[in-house]
Amino acid sequence: ATQQAGQEKLPQGRSLLMPSINLNANSTFNNQTTQFLGAFPFPGGTDRYNSNGYGVSLVQPLFRQQNWLVYTESELQAAQAELQLKIAEQDLMLRVAQAYFDVLIAQDSVQLVNAQKTAISEQHAQAKRNFEVGTATITDTLEAQARYDLTGAQEIAAQNNLEIKRSALQQLINATPGDLTPLGKEFKLEVPQPANMKKWVDEAQLNNLQLAIAQASAEIAEKEVARNRGGHYPTVDLVANYTQSNASGSIYGVGIDSTNKSVGVQLNMPLFQGGVVNSKWREAEANRERARQELENGRRNVAQQARQAYLGVVSGVAQVQALQQALTSSESVLEASKLGQEVGVRTNLDVLNAQQQLFSTRRDLYQAQYDYLLSQLRLKQAVGSLGEEDLSKVNQTLH
């Protein structure tokens, strides 16, 4: 709706260059008393009569610098409305993707807590059996019980968080989300191409949509200075009038019908308007400086966003790879801890800690994978090229 409203700025600006035509009509009752002084052949008296008339006037601007500048500003305003629509589309893509992955990580957390709870339950049962046969102390059982109770509290928190994240996604799509597709075997790590941060920053400086809006605002502010300076300039218009009038009486006692046609050129030269023109000129110059500073600030912000998004993808690749290796190591540690417990060189607490480390590493890996995918989308947004094809590419990593 904002985009549609912005597009109307263009015909509004164009209308200032087009002719304006007005129709006027009148009907008047006249009660006129006339007394002639001196030697005059007509007697005075009171006349009552109706007079009627209508007219058409046309004004075609020939030279109005302010109107032309308003029209050029309207072109920029319409372009800004288009850019704002594209920004809203890209923002929606990112918000939905973020909400989608938030639900996935919440689901993963619930599943991991459940799996951890099951593993701890098995460890608790084993510790209890060992205590009963005298091969373990009551401490192992209490440690397992405490860890089990803690995991129960984490399970409740994870379930609550899942409901909140599903509700946030539902708010965006206006429908209850069903089962969401998780990451599949097609998930691959790719570094940005080109693998050069400066080139991505340069592209963002050229094509970022927010920066394009700021650039248009700076150009509008520049035109506003010229438009307000034009308050001292003369205006020239082509003026045409057609008037038809009739009256049933007059001071001469007889009715009158008249027709008037005129065409001419009219010049208006403003001489003094209380200083408002100079004040508006100074105001426009101050706004121009503000727009320039906002544009410069926008350039710096866009460069920073591009750097952060690029580094987010690059570091995301490294982080996922590191966590994949850490997951393999955590699995080995858990197996070694269980074996060590069987031969008596590891305690029940060592196994519980190894299990905790394994599930934490797995959750961190899932989160890193989702963050990596979102960073890819943010990088495309920074350079102004985020589109549905980018979402399709991310969608291919799901199964």
Side-chain angles (χ1 to χ4, degrees), residues 123-266:
Q123 198 67 24
H124 176 264
Q126 181 180 351
K128 191 174 182 181
R129 289 193 302 268
N130 292 339
F131 173 71
E132 290 173 351
V133 298
T135 59
T137 65
I138 189 63
T139 304
D140 291 342
T141 304
L142 295 177
E143 288 172 346
Q145 182 65 49
R147 194 67 63 93
Y148 182 84
D149 294 338
L150 178 61
T151 306
Q154 293 173 344
E155 181 182 26
I156 295 173
Q159 288 284 0
N160 182 63
N161 184 58
L162 175 59
E163 289 302 317
I164 293 174
K165 298 306 182 184
R166 289 179 66 86
S167 177
L169 180 58
Q170 179 180 352
Q171 180 184 3
L172 277 175
I173 65 177
N174 196 30
T176 302
D179 294 333
L180 303 187
T181 307
L183 289 179
K185 296 180 180 180
E186 297 299 321
F187 176 74
K188 296 180 180 178
L189 297 171
E190 297 178 354
V191 296
Q193 295 298 329
N196 186 317
M197 184 168 60
K198 184 179 183 305
K199 290 185 178 180
W200 285 96
V201 171
D202 292 342
E203 185 175 353
Q205 296 279 12
L206 292 174
N207 300 317
N208 181 270
L209 300 182
Q210 290 284 5
L211 195 57
I213 289 180
Q215 179 67 50
S217 296
E219 293 179 18
I220 291 174
E222 188 72 39
K223 292 181 182 298
E224 276 291 294
V225 173
R227 186 179 71 83
N228 284 282
R229 187 189 302 123
H232 291 302
Y233 295 169
T235 60
V236 181
D237 301 318
L238 175 67
V239 180
N241 291 285
Y242 174 86
T243 305
Q244 176 72 44
S245 62
N246 64 79
S248 59
S250 69
I251 61 174
Y252 302 108
V254 295
I256 299 174
D257 289 335
S258 66
T259 300
N260 179 55
K261 304 173 184 177
S262 65
V263 177
V265 176
Q266 180 176 295

Side-chain angles (χ1 to χ4, degrees), residues 319-393:
Q319 188 174 15
V320 170
Q321 291 174 340
L323 286 170
Q324 287 172 339
Q325 182 61 42
L327 181 63
T328 302
S329 300
S330 297
E331 292 171 346
S332 300
V333 169
L334 178 59
E335 292 300 322
S337 296
K338 288 181 177 179
L339 182 60
Q341 185 185 24
E342 293 175 1
V343 299
V345 296
R346 286 288 185 269
T347 65
N348 187 60
L349 182 59
D350 293 331
V351 176
L352 292 173
N353 289 337
Q355 288 176 341
Q356 177 67 40
Q357 178 180 335
L358 174 62
F359 290 118
S360 296
T361 303
R362 186 167 287 146
R363 186 187 185 282
D364 291 343
L365 175 59
Y366 292 155
Q367 184 68 67
Q369 290 172 337
Y370 302 145
D371 289 344
Y372 160 76
L373 293 173
L374 286 170
S375 293
Q376 284 188 319
L377 298 179
R378 291 192 181 99
L379 182 58
K380 291 298 183 68
Q381 182 194 37
V383 299
S385 64
L386 178 61
E388 292 187 16
E389 64 278 3
D390 298 299
L391 287 184
S392 298
K393 185 176 180 181

